[in-house]
């Protein structure tokens, strides 16, 4: 079997009290160290400019949740579009193994429990031309905040592990467990892609035939969920019965 992280994972864990965004720190480190940066992890108590997908802000009260990023330098044949899904599965399996709670992924890779968002993943890349030099994977999990501590407009959309478990959760233990799952799923996406896709499809919150509202390329439309494709794309049937493969965007609602 091929080695995924050439120097192991994590190679180094850099801890911070307050940062702009852990993704920014990881990107700077990748620029500075090149290939040597593979496997480095950056974790912070607070982000002044935490960001989510679609240029949204990522809210997290200081010292309560999990905010980290890591660097992955893929080989040329690595299926990079599966990376966010591999991280999503790592989160789902961590939650299952620590708390025996069922969590699912809303496409592309929001982590949901009981229909509410508990975590998100933001993967950014550094490329030269069309060649990817490295990936920065940022992970945010709502751990010990209370829903009331989120901005009002998010309060009916989010959940935290503390709310679900009705007790404080050991953030460090959660982090260390998740770090062990990540290389396993990143490797599985390459070495056992079919098994990976089977697990991924079962881990989606969407069921075949569900009515979805999908946002892609500046438009929002309704369609029926079919499956997840080999590259992580969303496969849906539109109102005229045509099968579409959606690469960028997100499921806005799953009715
Ligand atoms: C999303 O669901 O929109 C993705 C959220 C990703 C948030 C994490 S927190 C750590 C890392 N640093 C950031 O600025 N964003 C990611």
């Amino acid at each position: 079997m091929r080695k995924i992280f050439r120097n192991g994972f994590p190679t180094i864990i850099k801890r911070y009290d307050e940062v702009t965004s852990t993704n920014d720190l990881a990107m700077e480190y990748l620029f500075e160290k090149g290939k040597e940066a593979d496997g480095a992890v950056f974790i912070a108590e607070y982000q002044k400019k935490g960001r989510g997908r679609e240029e949204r802000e990522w809210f997290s009260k200081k010292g309560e949740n999990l905010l980290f990023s890591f660097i992955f330098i893929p080989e040329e044949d690595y299926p990079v579009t599966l990376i966010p899904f591999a991280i999503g599965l790592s989160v789902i399996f961590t939650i299952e193994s620590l708390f025996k709670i069922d969590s699912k992924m809303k496409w592309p890779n929001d982590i949901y429990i009981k229909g509410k968002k508990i975590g998100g993943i933001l993967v950014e890349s550094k490329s030269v031309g069309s060649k990817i030099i490295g990936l920065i994977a940022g992970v945010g999990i709502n751990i010990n905040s209370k829903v009331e501590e989120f901005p009002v407009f998010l309060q009916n959309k989010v959940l935290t592990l503390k709310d679900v478990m009705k007790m404080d959760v050991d953030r460090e233990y959660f982090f260390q467990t998740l770090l062990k799952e990540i290389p396993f799923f990143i490797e599985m996406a390459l070495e056992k892609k079919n098994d990976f896709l089977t697990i991924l499809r079962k881990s989606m919150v969407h069921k075949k035939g569900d009515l979805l509202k999908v946002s892609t390329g500046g438009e929002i439309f309704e369609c029926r969920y079919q499956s997840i494709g080999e590259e992580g794309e969303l496969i849906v049937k539109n109102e005229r019965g045509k099968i579409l493969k959606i690469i960028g965007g997100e499921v806005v609602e799953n009715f």
Side-chain angles (χ1 to χ4, degrees), residues 115-246:
K116 298 204 169 160
K117 183 159 169 169
I118 203 140
I121 294 152
L122 175 69
V123 176
E124 297 174 315
S125 60
K126 168 175 160 16
S127 303
V128 173
S130 61
K131 191 176 180 315
I132 291 178
I133 304 298
L135 297 173
I136 306 299
V139 183
I141 312 285
N142 304 333
I143 305 243
N144 281 328
S145 280
K146 287 189 157 178
V147 166
E148 306 88 80
E149 290 166 344
F150 285 83
V152 175
F153 75 96
L154 284 177
Q155 288 180 7
N156 62 350
K157 298 193 172 93
V158 300
L159 208 55
T160 74
L161 284 171
K162 179 175 175 159
D163 286 318
V164 177
M165 296 306 297
K166 310 261 183 286
M167 62 175 193
D168 274 321
V169 167
D170 186 335
R171 283 187 298 151
E172 183 62 25
Y173 192 57
F174 186 96
F175 175 53
Q176 294 297 339
T177 310
L178 178 53
L179 289 182
K180 287 197 192 96
E181 295 286 354
I182 286 171
F184 175 82
F185 282 103
I186 289 186
E187 187 164 306
M188 191 181 195
L190 175 71
E191 303 284 358
K192 293 184 178 163
K193 194 169 170 183
N194 286 338
D195 293 350
F196 179 88
L197 290 169
T198 302
I199 298 175
L200 176 62
R201 288 167 185 145
K202 280 190 194 144
S203 302
M204 301 308 291
V205 79
H206 322 295
K207 299 276 163 285
K208 192 167 179 181
D210 277 2
L211 182 61
L212 306 183
K213 199 184 268 181
V214 173
S215 157
T216 183
E219 64 163 323
I220 295 183
F221 66 99
E222 285 188 5
C223 50
R224 298 266 170 197
Y225 179 74
Q226 301 299 304
S227 187
I228 299 295
E230 297 204 347
E231 266 129 50
E233 68 275 28
L234 178 70
I235 305 178
V236 296
K237 198 185 261 188
N238 73 6
E239 282 163 338
R240 278 175 274 142
K242 193 173 173 213
I243 299 288
L244 304 174
K245 287 187 174 186
I246 300 171

Side-chain angles (χ1 to χ4, degrees), residues 21-23 47 50-53 58 68 110 117 120-121 138-140:
S21 153
T22 54
N23 268 35
Q47 299 185 122
R51 57 178 181 273
R53 297 179 55 260
W58 185 258
F68 74 97
D110 289 346
K117 183 159 169 169
I121 294 152
V139 183

